[in-house]
Amino acid sequence: MTSTGRCALCDGALPPATSEQRRSYCSNACRQRAYRRRVTVTAPTPVTRQNLRVLSNLPAARDTFVGRQQELSKLDQLLRRHRLVTLVGSAGAGKTRLALEAAGRLRRGRTDRVLLVELGEITTSRDVVPALADALGVAAETDEPLRDTVLETLVNMKVVVVLDNCEHLLDTCAELTDVLLNRCPGVRVLATSREALWITGEVSFHVEGLPVPSTDRDLVTTAAPRSEAVKLFVDRARERKPDFRLSVDNTAAVALLCARLEGMPLAIELAARWVRLLPVADICDRLDEPLELLTSGCRKSPRQSSLREAIDWSYQLLQPDEQFALRRLSVFDGGFDLGAATEVCSSERSAEPVLDVLSRLQAKSLVTAVPGTTRFRQLETIRLHAKEKLLAAGELDVAYEALARWFTDLSDVLITAPMSMSADVQHKLDNHVDSLLGTVEWAADRADERLLLLTSALADCAARRGRLGQARVMLRDALRRPSTRDDYRCVALNHAARFAAEQGDHGEALELSAEASRLVRTIGQPALLMSSRSTLAAVQQSSGEWEASDKNNTECLRVAELLGEPLARATALVDLARTALSLGKHERAEENVMSALPLSRASGVPARIASALNTRGAVALVQGDLDEATHAFQEALRMDGINPLTAPDALEGLAVVALTRGQAERALRLEATGRAMRRSVGVVPNPFWAEKVNGAMRTARLMLSVARAEAASTPLTAAETEAFIQDEVWLDRTEAAFDALDDHERRVIALLATGLTNQQIANRLNVSVRTVASRLHRLRDKLGLRSREDIAAWGAERAIG
């Protein structure tokens, strides 16, 4: 057949048509150009509720979007001001879902259309433009490249292009985005990637895990239901088990699970799939192997079918030197600094500077810089995956050997200057304590000779955190193993003896310190010999052997002065001051502690400074200088906070001051707070101090009625203690409560004080017995009292009527 018409666009002759066809255009090119022209010149239509919606190819949501409201608000603001926003985050952080939710909330006006371009299943760069064209609904024209067709289509449109999963096609996505932004002024791009595109005008928006609740026992029941991570777990758990609810029995376990998964949405969703088979507590127990547990995913998306595959996707995109560094860094449990990373990652296998490799891993969302510090960390799931790769590469022992060397170099001060460990070394060890534990376990498995030294360093860290019992167990186990290094064994014995003495186990402390004293004579290390004598003096002091302790500490002071170690000198002076105080030599005690204070302050170690201040306070207290004692004890608390190793002495000292000033209730409460702290770590005071404090508290109880004394002998809460330390705020609960009583409560107390029963009080007030019992229950809580008898005595003392 022959054509009988002209092209509706170019007026050219139409090609021949069959009887089934009616042609309006001479070619596909004219047809698509006409389409683009219609898009740009269509007359505006009246705004209705229906046409406010943006035309898009976004998939319909199949489950609830949970949380992220602040992120969505921020994204909306960014998309208003910037034309390229990239959501950057690690595997499983929820970048895609957040991008889809943000794009789905766009409205007509600034945007007419949203195009989702899914790149996750695309493997070659040549398929990126066709994927965009497919989303746009255009095809290649015979006389122009597909990219030009796409650009010509978009040039006059207001479109948000969502490029999802760009990380494996980064260069191609960056180039395409750059062209789109340059050639199409109405186009904005919302990209998701594990690494930024790094082109002009890009705004990176970091996507992290959902906020997790506090796992503190006292806070978890109120914090967990408000947590976005917990809400997501509950929502996804109900998909598998419709009757699943947060309850008293499972709330703490759900909060712990979300915290251990660091709020990562993919991990939480995969964990929630197990609730049909396992209680939440059992799921938590299996999180020691999270990559094995979190494997049940979605059939449609193989790359996200398990947490392992999602992380492995990122790993395979790394350069060889980046993979090498990521594997090596997996030996750090709990974070690391640049110095530690350099020791572990430096190798002929990695020619690049470690800082450069770290910055690239951070850019790819595989390493995170800890805000406000010079430290880095890996998400636990990423670290465990990298450790699997480390083991598979046969590099596990090499990496741990490098880490053990670094820790050994740090811990060598326990031999060369055991009484003078600097604040910097303590800080490094404390910051890497989880990695140190892993290194100790590695050394134990291989019977490494450094085990005793590394265990001593680890026990030091545990003791500084108040975990004396744990420190003693670690040292006891390590000391049972054969050792080839007498100096390492001596260090471990000294630590074990000192910790045993602090917990009142005098027999074990004396036995350990005696062995250390015998062993150290054959070593020939003056600093280690001094440390052993100091430990023996501490053991003697804890059992009341003041003369022997004084003799050993005097020798320690002499050696410290010969060695030129000011920190060791400060320790010896503080111990001598305590011994002199116990022997009644108050002036000598004052002289020693005043000499120790400036040396202790110069150390920069809060616990060391607080210890000297507590000793200064004790000396002033014995001398009757209450103002000086108060100042010293309060400064000690402000210096070291609620440290159960130093705070009890300060609180007990302030309790004795309070009693001396006639504040018996205040004294009992402060002493009870200090005693509770001691009990939490098992620390006992030395005999002299214990006798002084106990005698003062006996006097305080005699000054009060039995009910008031019992009510006052309850510890301050953590919040009350913190307020007292920081701002010297003192809350007298019963007096504060007295002012807060209403008329009904006062009437109940007055009747109770006359000896009436609950039924008689109910008859007088014309209320039910249950109402009286309820009011009495609230009064016990408000007044901090334990029984109705205490309330009656309290009311009688204050003549409430």
Side-chain angles (χ1 to χ4, degrees):
M1 288 181 76
T2 60
S3 173
T4 58
R6 313 296 293 180
C7 176
L9 184 69
C10 68
D11 201 36
L14 294 176
T18 65
S19 58
E20 290 82 13
Q21 289 180 312
R22 289 193 59 189
R23 290 186 179 274
S24 300
Y25 304 100
C26 62
S27 66
N28 284 336
C30 281
R31 179 180 296 106
Q32 293 197 25
R33 289 190 183 102
Y35 165 75
R36 292 196 293 270
R37 185 171 298 176
R38 287 197 302 274
V39 168
T40 58
V41 303
T42 300
T45 57
V47 176
T48 65
R49 186 177 185 83
Q50 184 174 3
N51 66 26
L52 279 174
R53 298 187 61 184
V54 175
L55 180 65
S56 77
N57 66 334
L58 299 177
R62 301 190 185 187
D63 50 25
T64 307
F65 183 83
V66 177
R68 303 277 199 199
Q69 296 309 307
Q70 291 184 351
E71 289 94 331
L72 287 170
S73 176
K74 181 65 174 177
L75 274 177
D76 183 65
Q77 295 173 21
L78 290 176
L79 287 170
R80 290 173 184 267
R81 297 196 300 265
H82 304 279
R83 294 181 60 208
L84 171 58
V85 178
T86 304
L87 304 187
V88 179
S90 60
K95 302 181 295 295
T96 295
R97 188 64 192 273
L98 179 59
L100 294 180
E101 187 70 18
R105 296 188 180 196
L106 296 173
R107 291 291 180 264
R108 290 292 287 270
R110 291 180 296 112
T111 303
D112 295 330
R113 190 166 180 183
V114 174
L115 299 176
L116 171 62
V117 184
E118 297 179 290
L119 304 174
E121 306 304 321
I122 292 177
T123 57
T124 60
S125 58
R126 64 174 178 270
D127 292 331
V128 173
V129 172
L132 176 57
D134 184 62
L136 185 57
V138 300
E141 297 184 2
T142 57
D143 59 348
E144 66 179 359
L146 180 59
R147 191 176 79 163
D148 292 345
T149 303
V150 169
L151 292 173
E152 208 172 322
T153 304
L154 292 173
V155 70
N156 291 315
M157 297 176 66
K158 292 190 291 185
V159 176
V160 171
V161 178
V162 181
L163 293 177
D164 187 34
N165 294 310
C166 301
E167 56 272 352
H168 60 305
L169 301 163
L170 209 61
D171 292 339
T172 303
C173 290
E175 180 185 359
L176 174 61
T177 301
D178 201 41
V179 172
L180 285 172
L181 297 179
N182 286 336
R183 298 268 298 273
C184 307
V187 168
R188 287 171 290 156
V189 176
L190 178 61
T192 74
S193 177
R194 297 176 196 181
E195 182 178 3
L197 301 182
W198 299 108
I199 61 177
T200 304
E202 180 182 33
V203 175
S204 293
F205 185 89
H206 195 74
V207 181
E208 299 178 334
L210 295 169
V212 298
S214 168
T215 55
D216 184 273
R217 183 179 60 184
D218 297 329
L219 302 176
V220 67
T221 54
T222 56
R226 298 196 298 268
S227 164
E228 293 183 359
V230 170
K231 289 178 182 177
L232 178 64
F233 180 87
V234 172
D235 185 84
R236 299 304 187 257
R238 286 176 180 168
E239 293 177 0
R240 299 287 170 156
K241 189 178 181 183
D243 62 345
F244 182 85
R245 296 289 186 276
L246 277 183
S247 67
V248 174
D249 295 330
N250 68 18
T251 296
V254 172
L256 178 60
L257 183 145
C258 292
R260 292 188 63 183
L261 294 176
E262 299 173 281
M264 300 303 284
L266 176 60
I268 291 172
E269 291 184 354
L270 293 174
R273 295 170 183 266
W274 288 93
V275 297
R276 189 169 53 186
L277 300 175
L278 298 170
V280 181
D282 287 358
I283 300 175
C284 272
D285 291 341
R286 285 168 168 77
L287 282 185
D288 290 334
E289 299 292 340
L291 297 178
E292 299 301 328
L293 178 68
L294 308 179
T295 55
S296 302
C298 175
R299 290 194 183 94
K300 184 182 177 184
S301 179
R303 190 171 58 81
Q304 299 279 53
S305 64
S306 76
L307 195 59
R308 184 192 303 281
E309 292 177 8
I311 297 171
D312 196 60
W313 167 267
S314 294
Y315 180 80
Q316 299 302 330
L317 297 175
L318 298 178
Q319 298 297 319
D321 61 334
E322 294 169 343
Q323 291 182 343
F324 173 80
L326 192 69
R327 292 196 301 270
R328 288 295 183 90
L329 293 172
S330 68
V331 297
F332 290 111
D333 187 359
F336 53 90
D337 60 22
L338 179 60
T342 300
E343 290 294 326
V344 170
C345 295
S346 294
S347 166
E348 68 281 356
R349 295 276 303 277
S350 179
E352 295 289 336
V354 173
L355 181 58
D356 179 64
V357 179
L358 273 177
S359 66
R360 284 187 274 138
L361 290 174
Q362 182 185 353
K364 298 174 190 293
S365 304
L366 292 168
V367 167
T368 302
V370 180
T373 71
T374 56
R375 288 171 54 76
F376 302 86
R377 63 182 291 270
Q378 292 173 297
L379 291 176
E380 184 64 5
T381 48
I382 292 175
R383 189 185 73 84
L384 292 175
H385 177 272
K387 200 164 187 179
E388 287 182 354
K389 297 293 185 182
L390 184 75
L391 186 61
E395 300 170 351
L396 185 72
D397 285 338
V398 177
Y400 268 112
E401 173 59 36
L403 188 57
R405 282 198 306 270
W406 185 71
F407 278 128
T408 301
D409 290 343
L410 281 177
S411 305
D412 190 59
V413 68
L414 296 176
I415 299 171
T416 59
M419 296 175 65
S420 301
M421 181 183 285
S422 67
D424 180 61
V425 171
Q426 285 190 17
H427 189 64
K428 283 183 179 293
L429 289 171
D430 288 338
N431 277 344
H432 296 85
V433 65
D434 294 328
S435 302
L436 178 55
L437 173 60
T439 307
V440 165
E441 292 171 347
W442 173 83
D445 289 342
R446 287 152 185 80
D448 192 287
E449 68 175 7
R450 295 165 294 187
L451 175 63
L452 278 172
L453 181 65
L454 295 175
T455 302
S456 298
L458 181 62
D460 244 0
C461 295
R464 281 194 291 274
R465 297 183 177 193
R467 299 171 183 170
L468 287 178
Q470 180 184 359
R472 292 180 65 191
V473 169
M474 289 189 295
L475 287 166
R476 193 178 293 132
D477 290 344
L479 284 166
R480 290 194 185 106
R481 296 172 180 264
S483 173
T484 60
R485 292 285 300 261
D486 287 347
D487 51 351
Y488 290 175
R489 182 169 183 84
C490 187
V491 168
L493 287 167
N494 280 329
H495 278 74
R498 191 174 288 270
F499 297 153
E502 289 181 354
Q503 291 198 315
D505 195 341
H506 303 300
E508 181 176 332
L510 189 60
E511 181 183 344
L512 291 166
S513 62
E515 183 183 349
S517 297
R518 289 192 300 271
L519 194 61
V520 76
R521 296 191 190 101
T522 66
I523 296 173
Q525 282 270 11
L528 200 53
L529 178 61
M530 175 179 63
S531 175
S532 295
R533 293 199 77 150
S534 176
T535 299
L536 180 58
V539 171
Q540 292 164 338
Q541 192 178 104
S542 70
S543 57
E545 300 174 59
W546 307 116
E547 295 288 353
S549 177
D550 184 72
K551 181 179 178 181
N552 279 308
N553 272 320
T554 300
E555 177 62 17
C556 286
L557 179 61
R558 185 187 70 81
V559 176
E561 290 172 343
L562 286 175
L563 294 176
E565 290 191 17
L567 297 185
R569 186 164 171 260
T571 299
L573 284 167
V574 168
D575 287 342
L576 280 170
R578 290 174 180 163
T579 304
L581 195 63
S582 305
L583 292 171
K585 302 175 182 178
H586 302 163
E587 290 184 4
R588 181 184 167 196
E590 182 179 14
E591 179 184 344
N592 285 329
V593 76
M594 295 307 290
S595 298
L597 268 172
L599 298 174
S600 299
R601 292 186 194 277
S603 73
V605 180
R608 187 187 287 271
I609 301 169
S611 179
L613 286 166
N614 282 332
T615 305
R616 172 62 185 133
V619 172
L621 190 61
V622 171
Q623 292 177 324
D625 190 344
L626 298 186
D627 290 340
E628 178 61 26
T630 300
H631 174 76
F633 289 132
Q634 287 177 340
E635 187 182 353
L637 287 171
R638 287 194 296 271
M639 178 59 63
D640 204 24
I642 310 178
N643 181 343
L645 300 180
T646 60
D649 281 342
L651 291 167
E652 290 162 352
L654 289 171
V656 177
V657 170
L659 175 69
T660 308
R661 289 174 169 164
Q663 299 168 309
E665 286 178 300
R666 181 184 179 114
L668 287 170
R669 182 149 290 128
L670 286 172
E671 187 274 336
T673 306
R675 181 161 27 92
M677 286 187 187
R678 287 192 187 280
R679 194 183 307 118
S680 70
V681 294
V683 174
V684 298
N686 71 53
F688 168 80
W689 187 246
E691 183 180 349
K692 184 167 187 62
V693 173
N694 291 337
M697 294 309 105
R698 285 194 294 270
T699 302
R701 290 186 181 89
L702 292 174
M703 294 170 62
L704 301 170
S705 68
V706 174
R708 287 184 68 182
E710 287 185 2
S713 297
T714 56
L716 296 170
T717 66
E720 289 171 343
T721 306
E722 194 66 39
F724 175 66
I725 291 173
Q726 297 301 327
D727 304 312
E728 299 181 22
V729 173
W730 177 260
L731 174 63
D732 188 323
R733 297 173 190 168
T734 56
E735 298 307 324
F738 179 83
D739 295 334
L741 293 175
D742 60 33
D743 291 341
H744 294 291
E745 290 169 331
R746 290 173 185 271
R747 183 64 174 151
V748 169
I749 294 172
L751 293 172
L752 188 65
T754 63
L756 297 182
T757 65
N758 286 5
Q759 182 63 64
Q760 291 170 328
I761 295 173
N763 294 338
R764 292 281 188 94
L765 298 178
N766 198 26
V767 296
S768 68
V769 176
R770 180 177 295 180
T771 299
V772 173
S774 176
R775 288 180 181 175
L776 289 175
H777 180 74
R778 288 198 301 271
L779 281 168
R780 284 199 301 271
D781 291 340
K782 179 179 285 191
L783 299 174
L785 300 174
R786 299 179 181 180
S787 66
R788 71 191 302 279
E789 289 75 17
D790 291 344
I791 298 173
W794 184 84
E797 289 173 2
R798 287 161 178 78
I800 294 179

